[in-house]
Amino acid sequence: MPLTPTADILGPAQAAGTGIGAFNVVQIEHAEAIVTGAERAGLPVILQISENTARYHGALAPTALASLAVARAAAVPVAVHLDHAESAELVAEAVELGFASVMFDASKLPYDANVSATRTMTELCHRADIWIEAELGAVGGKDGAHAPGVRTDPDEARAFAAATGVDALAVAVGSSHAMLTRDAALDFALIARLKAALDVPLVLHGSSGVADAGLAKAVAAGMTKVNISTHLNKLFTATVRERLEASPALADPRKYLGPARDAVAAEVARLLGVLAGR
């Protein structure tokens, strides 16, 4: 199956009021697990590679090319997305490599600078027919993102989307990146207000900290793209740890990475079902 445009995955989901899982790839086992889980669920999925992961591997291309290959071989629609890029050069590289979409994050900048930088990236991506996501608000650490002052304002979000021309918007509604517990308190009324204010799909970052019931309620309130990374990494690492503790002499990485990959695939299939309202 050819690589699927992100718009072809999120557009129908937004219209139907369902959610799409976007899961982060750290190494090839993640990409394989995520696609296997999507195939098991019979649902589309988005593979994400972050700027942090590109930095970890020393370059974007190795992980990107592997993920693109896994996506193209999938039996369900799969898009490959650049996540949380603050570097314009990395966005340009992702466009050149054939990513379906990018998330350009200038949310740390003052509002006017965020608009200007994001608009420039939107023009670059749209020239290549690439879909672009941006962020408004602060989906930061656990404490900051739960403070009322960092929530995304619907009127400002509407103006931002119009000024930048972005195709989707990540908003701050109470979730936090890298949470190890699933007890984030989302502002569902704010999600509904943001949905009413915007035509573009809403994106929930930091979704690892949201329990199943909260994910389903967030989608019902208006979220379309739901980013999950830490939750899967916890499961992957716990499975590796269990295998190594059970067999201390184990030397073949396939003997512990394989079970971890299987565990993540099962959880991806389950989470996709939650987001699809099954």
Side-chain angles (χ1 to χ4, degrees), residues 32-266:
E32 294 165 341
I34 292 161
V35 169
T36 297
E39 290 175 333
R40 197 170 294 168
L43 292 167
V45 76
I46 298 172
L47 299 180
Q48 303 195 139
I49 302 170
S50 70
E51 182 166 326
N52 284 338
T53 291
R55 188 178 300 115
Y56 167 77
H57 287 289
L60 176 62
T63 312
L65 294 173
S67 296
L68 288 163
V70 171
R72 290 190 178 102
V76 294
V78 180
V80 178
H81 175 81
L82 178 65
D83 186 38
H84 275 290
E86 298 181 13
S87 161
E89 291 76 19
L90 196 66
V91 170
E93 184 180 358
V95 169
E96 183 67 24
L97 286 168
F99 277 54
S101 55
V102 306
M103 188 270 185
F104 179 65
D105 184 4
S107 62
K108 294 177 183 176
L109 301 176
Y111 178 81
D112 289 343
N114 187 354
V115 167
S116 178
T118 302
R119 184 169 54 235
T120 298
M121 289 299 98
T122 299
E123 291 168 356
L124 169 70
C125 289
H126 284 179
R127 282 196 297 270
D129 199 26
I130 300 297
W131 187 93
I132 182 168
E133 169 190 337
E135 182 173 316
L136 186 66
V139 189
K142 187 170 182 179
D143 296 329
H146 286 277
V150 302
R151 304 293 169 89
T152 303
D153 176 75
D155 292 333
E156 189 172 68
R158 183 193 299 113
F160 181 87
T164 60
V166 294
D167 301 296
L169 190 64
V171 291
V173 294
S175 57
S176 307
H177 290 115
M179 283 186 68
L180 297 175
T181 56
R182 301 183 76 197
D183 55 0
L186 298 184
D187 188 334
F188 300 107
L190 177 56
I191 294 172
R193 289 170 56 213
L194 287 162
K195 177 178 171 57
L198 292 157
D199 294 326
V200 300
L202 298 178
V203 184
L204 183 65
H205 283 230
S207 306
S208 291
V210 183
D212 286 1
L215 293 175
K217 193 171 179 180
V219 170
M223 286 292 175
T224 301
K225 179 172 177 276
V226 178
N227 289 14
I228 299 174
S229 178
T230 299
H231 176 66
L232 297 183
N233 287 337
K234 276 183 61 183
L235 178 59
F236 190 100
T237 302
T239 306
V240 169
R241 186 175 291 117
E242 289 169 5
R243 291 290 295 155
L244 292 176
E245 288 176 350
S247 304
L250 199 58
D252 186 344
R254 292 169 295 187
K255 300 296 185 181
Y256 53 85
L257 294 179
R261 179 178 59 188
D262 293 343
V264 169

